[in-house]
Amino acid sequence: MKLTVRFQAMQSTCPDDNVEANIVPVDSEFDLDPSETALVLVDVWGGHHIKSHYERTGVIMAETIRPCIEAARSCGVAVIYAPSPRIARTYPQSARYGVGSEIARPDGPEHDEWPPGDYRDAKGKYSSLARPYNEKIPGYDGDLPEWWHIRAIAEVIEPQADDFVVATGEQLHLLLRDRRIVNLVYAGFATNICVVYRDYGLQAMRARGYRPVLLRDCTSAIETRDTFDTLLITRTLILDLERWFPTSDSAAFIQACSREP
């Protein structure tokens, strides 16, 4: 399958014009073997506590990601869901490449969890490190609507029996190694958090030696009041990621899946 991808690359001709204004989008074509390729779906949840993000990503999943999943299945590209450990473990597919229990540690204060629990929770002497409570509603103790809760993968793109579900980057790596998969095409949410920073996200899998491709129209960041109308965080982050990761879009991916070998 031939997949058109985009990078941001320096197009200078000499040291004097090696400037930021000469970093421009450059297209390339990846030649991918479908049997060595996976569509990785990060945190495609059926709920979210930020209502606007929940609504926007719901449309993306139904209208853009779902056709990519169907195209992947039709041409032998593996479909791998990575919906966070808590959600992944509720799906039977996640047991197929489990990595076993945690490494046992001896008892005793010298072997306490590190960093300490108070540091992780920003409590006690570490309380000044607490992040502002900036996504949920401070002080609200009323009932929460059903869409608020993250309990499952979105029903509109739920896994099929032959798909895969992983909880960790190590589990994803074991799956890829066993199935001899090297090409990872990413979709999912949020672009500025889990897609980049999860242990099965772009950065971690690149560190393992893979070359992940991000589908630009199959992802969205969590925006702010200043960026919501223009999706500025999403657009800017994609441009920045393209300095290190190739990107493509759903139309190019579906076309690549449908091409005759």
Side-chain angles (χ1 to χ4, degrees):
M1 52 190 289
K2 307 284 189 182
L3 180 64
T4 301
V5 301
R6 188 176 78 190
F7 296 90
Q8 296 292 326
M10 178 64 77
Q11 296 293 286
S12 57
T13 60
C14 66
D16 286 342
D17 75 350
N18 198 65
V19 296
E20 290 155 310
N22 281 332
I23 300 174
V24 298
V26 175
D27 285 345
S28 183
E29 187 172 72
F30 282 3
D31 187 0
L32 310 178
D33 182 339
S35 69
E36 296 181 348
T37 302
L39 178 63
V40 182
L41 305 168
V42 174
D43 292 8
V44 284
W45 293 327
H48 202 279
H49 56 268
I50 300 178
K51 186 179 181 182
S52 55
H53 185 73
Y54 163 73
E55 293 172 340
R56 184 169 67 256
T57 59
V59 172
I60 294 172
M61 285 187 283
E63 298 182 359
T64 312
I65 295 180
R66 181 165 61 177
C68 290
I69 294 173
E70 294 168 351
R73 289 175 178 148
S74 72
C75 74
V77 169
V79 178
I80 303 173
Y81 293 77
S84 81
R86 178 175 62 84
I87 302 301
R89 291 174 184 134
T90 67
Y91 289 85
Q93 297 95 326
S94 71
R96 295 163 71 181
Y97 287 90
V99 294
S101 59
E102 296 283 332
I103 297 174
R105 62 177 177 83
D107 294 329
E110 68 273 22
H111 298 292
D112 285 346
E113 180 184 38
W114 193 264
D118 277 358
Y119 178 89
R120 293 172 184 270
D121 297 333
K123 293 180 179 179
K125 70 176 183 179
Y126 303 112
S127 60
S128 67
L129 305 179
R131 177 182 173 184
Y133 196 66
N134 64 349
E135 288 189 356
K136 300 182 182 180
I137 306 169
Y140 180 78
D141 60 359
D143 293 336
L144 296 171
E146 181 59 30
W147 55 259
W148 178 282
H149 303 285
I150 299 170
R151 296 192 174 106
I153 292 167
E155 185 176 351
V156 71
I157 57 170
E158 64 184 358
Q160 294 186 2
D162 290 337
D163 296 332
F164 303 93
V165 177
V166 299
T168 66
E170 180 65 15
Q171 188 179 2
L172 175 58
H173 176 63
L174 291 175
L175 186 164
L176 299 174
R177 186 177 65 183
D178 181 65
R179 296 277 166 162
R180 318 310 289 171
I181 292 170
V182 292
N183 306 307
L184 307 181
V185 180
Y186 272 74
F189 313 101
T191 324
N192 52 341
I193 307 175
C194 298
V195 170
V196 177
Y197 297 114
R198 283 279 194 189
D199 68 346
Y200 44 68
L202 297 175
Q203 297 280 22
M205 297 313 288
R206 181 173 180 264
R208 288 180 178 271
Y210 298 94
R211 293 179 173 83
V213 178
L214 176 65
L215 297 181
R216 297 184 295 272
D217 57 343
C218 292
T219 189
S220 183
I222 292 178
E223 302 285 342
T224 69
R225 175 182 294 177
D226 291 337
T227 67
F228 175 77
D229 289 342
T230 61
L231 301 181
L232 180 61
I233 293 176
T234 303
R235 294 188 294 108
T236 302
L237 181 58
I238 288 172
L239 286 173
D240 186 53
L241 286 172
E242 285 175 346
R243 291 286 284 145
W244 312 106
F245 300 94
T247 73
S248 189
D249 61 24
S250 60
F253 179 75
I254 292 169
Q255 182 182 30
C257 288
S258 63
R259 285 179 182 173
E260 294 294 330

